[in-house]
Structure formats: structure tokens, C-alpha cells
Amino acid sequence: LTAVTPVAPAGEDAERPKEWRSGADWCLQTTNAEQRVSLTRPPDADNELVKVAALHGPAGLLAVLREHKDYSWMVVLCFRAFQLCLGPRQYAVAEQPVLHECDPVAFAVQMLEMEMVDDIFQLMRYFKHVRDVQHHGLAILEILIMDDPEWRDEVA
């Protein structure tokens, strides 16, 4: 025996699925692939940072962002949470009902008062090679400057 030789214990062949029985071709079972969640790129419904942003505001999410700023996947999750708190409500509330607690205008004003655009630009510059960071960072800026002249001045 070697470490790479698959061996089925004697007497257990009848209990195993057909694909796993001795003499059958070995294959990987992906029966629960639909149920798996990518921890670094979860869907919006599974992004726990949206709850942090909605309940604690930009200051709470900025604290998490600054604590984990060395991980690009965490920056992407934080940026996506910012997007959901600032963006249109119909889709976002369906994914995360906690967003009923969050007022997008007040959220944007708090971000402006905290001068968060500097943090966003700094992280975008630091992770310039990560496409998702660039995409979500620019989406945040787009949402902010579309309707608010104060944000336009801040970015300019």
C-alpha cells in the first residue's frame, strides 16, 4: 500500500454508493455544490458586514475596514456593504431586510463628515491590482457623486 492507493475496507462495498465501490471509476461527488458559500465572495444575502454597516453606520464599518485593511477580500466585502447601504433600496432590502434601519442620505452625510473618500482612495491605490476592489470602490464614488454636489467637491 502507498498513500495514493485508494482502498475500500472489505465487507463495506455494499453500503457504499455505486460510484465509490471497488473496481468503479473514482469520481468526486458535488451533490452539495449549490449549498456551498464562498467565504471571500459571498452573495449579498450572506454578507454579514451589511448588518454592521446598517446597524452601526459608516463608523462601525470603517473600524472593521481599518482593522482588516491588509486583506483584499475583506475590503471587497466592506465596499459591497457600503454600496448596499447607499444604493437603491428595492433589490438591497430584498437581500438584506436589516437595510430598513439604514437611511442612505444620512449614511452618505456621515461618510462625508468622516472624510471616508480618502480611505476609499487609499485602499483602491493599495489594491490597484485587484479588479473587484477597483470596481466596488468606483461604484461607491459613483453613487455618492451622482446626486450630491458636496460629494463632487470632496472628490474633486
Side-chain angles (χ1 to χ4, degrees):
L1 290 181
T2 65
V4 281
T5 306
V7 174
E12 293 185 19
D13 250 4
E15 298 171 9
R16 293 174 179 246
K18 180 180 172 182
E19 295 85 19
W20 294 2
R21 292 184 186 158
S22 300
D25 292 330
W26 285 88
C27 64
L28 296 175
Q29 297 293 317
T30 57
T31 56
N32 63 351
E34 305 86 30
Q35 298 172 353
R36 294 182 191 153
V37 175
S38 172
L39 297 178
T40 58
R41 299 287 191 273
D44 293 337
D46 296 329
N47 187 350
E48 294 294 322
L49 293 175
V50 175
K51 294 176 186 172
V52 172
L55 298 176
H56 300 286
L61 193 55
L62 184 61
V64 172
L65 187 60
R66 285 181 176 164
E67 183 69 27
H68 302 288
K69 66 183 177 198
D70 295 330
Y71 303 103
S72 65
W73 61 272
M74 186 64 101
V75 172
V76 170
L77 292 179
C78 287
F79 279 9
R80 186 64 191 140
F82 281 125
Q83 271 183 276
L84 290 174
C85 288
L86 293 168
R89 292 291 163 187
Q90 61 273 16
Y91 165 72
V93 172
E95 291 288 320
Q96 287 278 358
V98 74
L99 288 173
H100 282 295
E101 308 288 325
C102 180
D103 176 25
V105 175
F107 196 89
V109 168
Q110 288 176 4
M111 287 178 68
L112 179 64
E113 291 170 352
M114 295 171 57
E115 298 181 358
M116 283 188 62
V117 72
D118 295 334
D119 292 296
I120 292 171
F121 280 137
Q122 181 181 8
L123 288 167
M124 287 175 64
R125 197 174 311 121
Y126 184 73
F127 291 110
K128 62 185 170 193
H129 59 283
V130 181
R131 184 178 183 273
D132 285 341
V133 171
Q134 303 301 316
H135 172 78
H136 293 297
L138 289 173
I140 292 169
L141 295 174
E142 179 184 12
I143 291 169
L144 290 172
I145 65 173
M146 278 177 54
D147 297 325
D148 193 352
E150 289 182 34
W151 269 106
R152 283 187 215 127
D153 295 339
E154 179 76 16
V155 171

